[in-house]
Amino acid sequence: MPAKTGRGIWLTTNCLPWCYSTIMKDTIAQLKKGEKGIIENYSTDLIPVKLQELGCLPGNEVHVIQLSPFKDLFYLNINGSFFAIRKETAALIEIAKVF
Amino acid sequence: MAKTLHVALIGNPNTGKTSVFNQLTGLNQKVGNYPGITVEKKTGTCKLSDEIKARITDLPGTYSLNATSADEQIVVEALLDENPEASPDVAVIVADVESLKRNLFLFTQIKELDTPVILAINMADNMEKKGISLDVKLLEKQLNTRVALISARKGTGIDSLKKLILEYQNLPKNPVVNISEVDPEYFKKLEQAFPGKNRYKQWLRITQNFSFTNRKVNPSENLDKTLRKDKTELKRMQQKEAILRYLFINKTLKETYRQDVNAAKDLRSRLDQILTHRIFGYVLFFLIILLVFQSIYSWSSYPMDLIDSLFASMSQWVKNTLPDGALTDLVSEGIIPGIGGIVIFIPQIAFLFFFISILEESGYMSRVVFIMDRLMRRFGLNGKSVVPLISGTACAIPAVMATRTIENWKERLITILVTPFITCSARLPVYLIIIALVIPDQTFFGFNLQGLTLMGLYLLGFLAAVISAYILNKILKIKNRSFFIAEMPDYKLPLAKNIGLTVYDKTRDFVVGAGKIILAISIVLWFLASHGYSEQFHNAKEIVLAQPDSNQLDEEALETAIASYRLQHSYIGILGHTIEPAIRPLGYDWKIGVALITSFAAREVFVGSLATIYSVGTDDEETIKNRLAGETNITTGKKTFNLPTGISLLLFYAFAMQCMSTLAVVKRETNSWKWPAIQLFFMSGFAYIVSLLAYQFLK
């Protein structure tokens, strides 16, 4: 169950501050084609509001549908919205991988 | 008197909003279009009942009222307009049943504007196939609105939508999500500062940003100190707004919307695997483009030949039928060849727009954006620049407007500046006729040499565009934090009605817009060519006869000699000779010079102008091509259109900025005369130098 896994990691990260940084390093940019994750956190100041309006909000699932050549663009499905973002934006959105 | 309601169609991109608009209005639509007029709002009329008509405005697609690109800005501005004439009586939100969640975001925003709102859920015919079930009654209750389930594709539900529009006065106006909840204290102050005004509208005015244009407006400047917030704070509030809205939407949809995930979603992912593939994606893109251009040329050559000979015989018919005189001459030598010069390109332009609208409607264009972004970024462009660059092959004007989806101002500006290098349909007539005159009709390694030349010219235009983009990217110092979000819409089978309307609209605009200029220029040219003030003009016959070698000429040659002597001393001749020193190094005679000057109004005028200049005084029925082929240069005795001159002309047209309508639209999109002026001087100056070098080298 994807949702459960996400919450699990969220709890772990809160209980164990020392591993916070290591786990939190995962961002959308680390995902491979076909992989999924749950959006956890991002810096509001850096992320365009438009992404949030498209449904890129904490707790929502993100699914990487396709990577462009050289892994430059990420074609995502978040919350039923299909769109592509550049790698530097993807690297700002922290996620917990769903296996 | 019949009453007219004002209805605004609003929705996310790719929800089939334009199809709904086409269903409601049919052919009763008016697209304010180029040259000069804005294309941003499409309006049309629709008969709702015997007494009541509706004026329907189709606004550009947007995800939110927090605009991040120029086309979204248009929507916000239309809704914030205080003028009661401009504000709609009712807003129809068009939503896609499959992405209702995201579509409802915009809905909840519009619902705060004190305007009656109807929710039209489109593509309802797909619900069963996609395993979606919807409790419409409950949804209406939760959203405090009326819902119409429609399918613009099949034309179902449109009548019930019309009925809902008619009953708009019964619609509740109160919002479903309250913006005040973001920061109750702040919005209380805001309401006190603007009593009686809609607080959400005020909020939108404060948060509007213009980073995607070069406008420098700071909306919060005039605000009371307590209402002012810095950018980060505003952004936090906007995020809070987004969360608040999605909380409401998720809760609502949980009770009313169910989707069986196992139901087919396969076509999309299968097509995506191929079309965005790291190798096949590019191969297919190349093949598709090749196919498009190939078919444009091979398919349109038949109707073009037909039109050409039709106009030639029409000219002849007028000459034979109408009584001799100035008016007949004007019609047969000025107007008909001039108009013929433009009508002949209808087939190609129609085909070009046909293919481009199919690429856009099917959802394929977004995949091209996806695979091209990296390559384009190297040149300071954006993946989304591909759309203007491709549609620039039809016409630079809609292409420049298509840059509105690019969020980053610098990338958008560069795209606007380089788009006119792309070989547009107005260059085609010039290219085709010159290629036919100077490039031999031979095969070269199995390829037609003329076809290869044409392809080379297209490539040249494209290279000029990307190279100048690269240079501009280095030169322009515009700070702009770049972000890129491109929606990947679902694949759709293009609707014949939408394609047909686009092709019809664009072709009509081309013919009417260019036709007017060409008609006016033809008349002026004809007048200048058939009138003169000098002795030589009036006594042309006597002077030519008095020349020593004139008695060696037969009657026909004598007549040609007289006609060309008269032409040389007409007003146009005098004008042409004045500018000749400037263009002679490029290999042009004064007649080409005159045609060149007229084509600064629009490139396609060139052929019409040549046709007019060369047909004055001749009697025989000739197609434009044959007439030009027979032309010889008086001073050198060689053919006027030889290889060096031809190549020089081709290069000039490839690079020069010769389109007033494009300059006007660039001025409007960049909000200053600076950029169009730069385009005009740099592109034309570059064209002059390249043509000069080419002619001197080949001569």
Side-chain angles (χ1 to χ4, degrees):
Chain A
M1 287 302 270
K4 223 175 192 174
T5 322
R7 214 169 293 135
I9 290 178
W10 185 77
L11 278 175
T12 325
T13 53
N14 276 285
C15 301
L16 305 164
W18 54 269
C19 72
Y20 185 92
S21 56
T22 45
I23 292 179
M24 274 314 188
K25 264 185 189 163
D26 264 357
T27 64
I28 292 182
Q30 264 89 47
L31 289 177
K32 294 194 183 75
K33 183 178 159 182
E35 288 187 330
K36 289 180 182 178
I38 301 287
I39 297 170
E40 300 209 317
N41 197 9
Y42 46 76
S43 158
T44 325
D45 307 340
L46 299 173
I47 294 287
V49 178
K50 193 173 172 185
L51 262 186
Q52 295 156 8
E53 291 172 343
L54 282 168
C56 181
L57 294 166
N60 281 339
E61 190 185 76
V62 43
H63 177 196
V64 179
I65 294 177
Q66 181 71 283
L67 292 172
S68 74
F70 308 105
K71 279 192 159 195
D72 193 53
L73 280 190
F74 286 71
Y75 174 0
L76 309 170
N77 173 7
I78 297 180
N79 206 26
S81 298
F82 293 83
F83 54 87
I85 55 175
R86 285 177 180 164
K87 190 174 187 169
E88 63 250 32
T89 315
L92 297 170
I93 303 165
E94 291 168 353
I95 49 121
K97 255 192 199 175
V98 174
F99 296 98
Chain B
M1 216 180 82
K3 194 181 173 235
T4 307
L5 289 180
H6 183 195
V7 180
L9 278 186
I10 308 168
N12 285 188
N14 306 305
T15 49
K17 196 163 54 63
T18 304
S19 307
V20 176
F21 178 70
N22 288 343
Q23 282 287 358
L24 284 171
T25 61
L27 273 173
N28 301 318
Q29 32 179 288
K30 208 177 79 199
V31 189
N33 216 330
Y34 57 87
I37 327 162
T38 61
V39 76
E40 36 223 35
K41 272 190 280 182
K42 272 210 235 174
T43 55
T45 51
C46 165
K47 205 171 163 193
L48 295 173
S49 71
D50 289 336
E51 295 89 46
I52 301 177
K53 279 203 294 186
R55 179 163 58 89
I56 299 178
T57 308
D58 184 20
L59 292 163
T62 181
Y63 297 105
S64 151
L65 292 183
N66 298 316
T68 49
S69 64
D71 53 342
E72 295 178 355
Q73 184 62 31
I74 292 164
V75 183
V76 182
E77 268 166 18
L79 291 169
L80 291 185
D81 202 326
E82 290 284 345
N83 179 359
E85 282 286 301
S87 65
D89 295 314
V90 56
V92 174
I93 314 282
V94 182
D96 171 0
V97 72
E98 265 193 276
S99 39
L100 205 51
K101 203 186 268 181
R102 172 163 47 79
N103 288 251
L104 284 180
F105 187 89
L106 182 66
F107 171 87
T108 63
Q109 286 185 315
I110 307 280
K111 199 84 172 77
E112 287 208 48
L113 299 175
D114 292 332
T115 307
V117 178
I118 296 167
L119 181 63
I121 300 182
N122 195 10
M123 307 183 203
D125 54 322
N126 276 345
M127 279 170 65
E128 207 171 308
K129 207 167 68 194
K130 305 273 181 180
I132 298 169
S133 58
L134 196 62
D135 185 343
V136 177
K137 277 264 141 26
L138 190 59
L139 192 66
E140 283 185 330
K141 198 171 150 237
Q142 301 263 25
L143 294 178
N144 213 345
T145 188
R146 296 298 307 274
V147 172
L149 285 181
I150 60 168
S151 163
R153 183 169 285 270
K154 296 203 170 145
T156 54
I158 300 293
D159 286 333
S160 58
L161 175 62
K162 284 185 187 170
K163 223 172 121 200
L164 288 180
I165 296 174
L166 271 174
E167 297 162 358
Y168 78 100
Q169 271 152 328
N170 304 334
L171 291 166
K173 286 189 192 174
N174 43 330
V176 281
V177 176
N178 209 323
I179 185 72
S180 314
E181 284 174 44
V182 170
D183 185 343
E185 218 174 293
Y186 180 80
F187 281 93
K188 206 172 163 193
K189 273 191 237 157
L190 193 66
E191 263 176 79
Q192 281 163 356
F194 301 96
K197 296 263 173 119
N198 178 300
R199 59 169 176 254
Y200 195 59
K201 284 187 183 175
Q202 295 306 327
W203 165 248
L204 287 175
R205 284 198 184 101
I206 293 168
T207 52
Q208 274 191 86
N209 80 70
F210 294 96
S211 61
F212 45 84
T213 64
N214 62 348
R215 262 191 276 181
K216 285 181 189 69
V217 186
N218 189 352
S220 53
E221 239 166 37
N222 309 322
L223 275 180
D224 188 81
K225 245 188 218 146
T226 54
L227 288 173
R228 256 185 250 170
K229 296 248 178 194
D230 68 34
K231 267 195 184 150
T232 352
E233 266 178 291
L234 285 179
K235 218 171 156 189
R236 286 216 180 102
M237 286 168 80
Q238 283 177 322
Q239 188 195 15
K240 229 174 151 187
E241 182 192 340
I243 293 172
L244 213 64
R245 291 190 191 283
Y246 272 117
L247 271 178
F248 168 79
I249 293 164
N250 286 341
K251 192 175 122 265
T252 307
L253 290 182
K254 212 173 173 184
E255 294 163 13
T256 56
Y257 184 91
R258 207 151 268 127
Q259 179 162 26
D260 179 7
V261 202
N262 293 328
K265 226 182 186 178
D266 253 334
L267 181 71
R268 178 196 188 104
S269 57
R270 266 191 231 152
L271 277 175
D272 272 340
Q273 294 306 328
I274 307 164
L275 294 178
T276 62
H277 190 270
R278 61 182 61 191
I279 297 159
F280 301 133
Y282 294 100
V283 174
L284 278 168
F285 174 57
F286 183 72
L287 287 179
I288 287 170
I289 294 295
L290 203 69
L291 183 81
V292 167
F293 284 110
Q294 194 59 45
S295 38
I296 287 173
Y297 298 120
S298 49
W299 294 355
S300 55
S301 64
Y302 304 103
M304 285 175 82
D305 289 343
L306 196 76
I307 293 169
D308 199 12
S309 50
L310 196 74
F311 270 86
S313 45
M314 207 150 86
S315 230
Q316 191 60 26
W317 181 83
V318 168
K319 216 172 239 181
N320 295 340
T321 322
L322 294 183
D324 274 352
L327 189 69
T328 306
D329 284 351
L330 172 63
V331 173
S332 67
E333 295 171 0
I335 295 176
I336 293 179
I339 295 296
I342 189 71
V343 171
I344 191 167
F345 302 109
I346 290 180
Q348 261 166 343
I349 284 155
F351 276 129
L352 208 51
F353 278 111
F354 172 76
F355 284 117
I356 285 172
S357 56
I358 285 184
L359 291 183
E360 275 184 1
E361 278 252 322
S362 61
Y364 179 65
M365 212 65 123
S366 305
R367 273 66 188 183
V368 179
V369 169
F370 181 74
I371 61 172
M372 295 299 275
D373 184 59
R374 187 183 165 96
L375 193 67
M376 289 286 142
R377 271 171 93 186
R378 289 213 175 148
F379 296 101
L381 297 166
N382 182 303
K384 292 180 185 176
S385 309
V386 171
V387 181
L389 292 185
I390 291 177
S391 64
T393 55
C395 177
I397 295 157
V400 166
M401 289 191 284
T403 63
R404 285 185 192 151
T405 52
I406 300 172
E407 295 97 340
N408 180 309
W409 169 241
K410 185 176 175 183
E411 290 170 346
R412 183 170 166 227
L413 178 66
I414 294 177
T415 311
I416 289 175
L417 291 178
V418 305
T419 296
F421 273 124
I422 298 296
T423 304
C424 66
S425 52
R427 284 186 177 99
L428 258 188
V430 185
Y431 286 176
L432 291 177
I433 204 146
I434 296 173
I435 286 177
L437 287 172
V438 304
I439 305 290
D441 191 6
Q442 293 167 353
T443 50
F444 181 75
F445 290 111
F447 290 99
N448 180 294
L449 202 57
Q450 296 186 329
L452 281 179
T453 313
L454 191 66
M455 210 172 113
L457 285 164
Y458 268 92
L459 205 65
L460 196 68
F462 180 74
L463 285 178
V466 291
I467 292 170
S468 42
Y470 184 80
I471 297 167
L472 283 167
N473 187 33
K474 298 275 180 232
I475 299 172
L476 289 178
K477 294 273 173 279
I478 299 173
K479 250 209 207 151
N480 214 321
R481 208 157 49 83
S482 166
F483 77 87
F484 172 92
I485 302 171
E487 205 213 345
M488 295 290 167
D490 213 347
Y491 292 100
K492 269 181 293 194
L493 205 62
L495 265 184
K497 193 173 184 175
N498 291 354
I499 305 277
L501 277 172
T502 310
V503 172
Y504 170 77
D505 267 351
K506 304 283 179 188
T507 314
R508 193 195 51 195
D509 286 335
F510 177 80
V511 176
V512 174
K516 272 189 248 166
I517 306 175
I518 288 175
L519 190 64
I521 288 182
S522 312
I523 293 172
V524 171
L525 276 183
W526 171 83
F527 178 83
L528 293 176
S530 52
H531 292 77
Y533 64 85
S534 63
E535 286 282 301
Q536 288 104 315
F537 179 81
H538 290 293
N539 306 321
K541 198 173 174 184
E542 290 74 27
I543 295 173
V544 172
L545 283 175
Q547 279 168 1
D549 50 354
S550 67
N551 45 11
Q552 289 161 22
L553 298 171
D554 60 30
E555 199 175 326
E556 200 182 319
L558 191 68
E559 219 164 272
T560 315
I562 297 172
S564 79
Y565 190 84
R566 271 169 72 97
L567 189 60
Q568 269 197 56
H569 293 93
S570 64
Y571 291 116
I572 197 88
I574 296 162
L575 186 80
H577 286 299
T578 327
I579 58 159
E580 204 172 10
I583 52 160
R584 186 173 288 151
L586 276 59
Y588 313 152
D589 70 358
W590 66 270
K591 289 179 186 174
I592 301 178
V594 169
L596 207 64
I597 289 186
T598 57
S599 62
F600 270 88
R603 294 181 184 91
E604 60 273 34
V605 173
F606 180 76
V607 180
S609 294
L610 281 182
T612 307
I613 297 174
Y614 284 127
S615 68
V616 169
T618 58
D619 272 335
D620 38 335
E621 176 183 346
E622 280 273 36
T623 59
I624 298 172
K625 192 185 132 189
N626 292 343
R627 192 168 284 151
L628 297 185
E631 192 69 16
T632 51
N633 191 320
I634 302 170
T635 42
T636 60
K638 283 192 219 151
K639 276 197 169 170
T640 308
F641 291 92
N642 49 21
L643 187 70
T645 301
I647 297 288
S648 160
L649 264 177
L650 288 176
L651 290 172
F652 192 85
Y653 275 85
F655 297 127
M657 178 71 210
Q658 299 164 287
C659 179
M660 289 198 298
S661 315
T662 304
L663 290 173
V665 85
V666 170
K667 191 255 154 187
R668 203 185 66 218
E669 296 296 313
T670 61
N671 233 333
S672 98
W673 280 112
K674 180 178 156 194
W675 300 113
I678 286 175
Q679 275 181 317
L680 180 65
F681 289 109
F682 276 83
M683 290 177 67
S684 307
F686 182 63
Y688 187 90
I689 294 167
V690 172
S691 306
L692 179 75
L693 292 175
Y695 180 73
Q696 296 301 334
F697 184 71
L698 289 168
K699 190 171 65 165

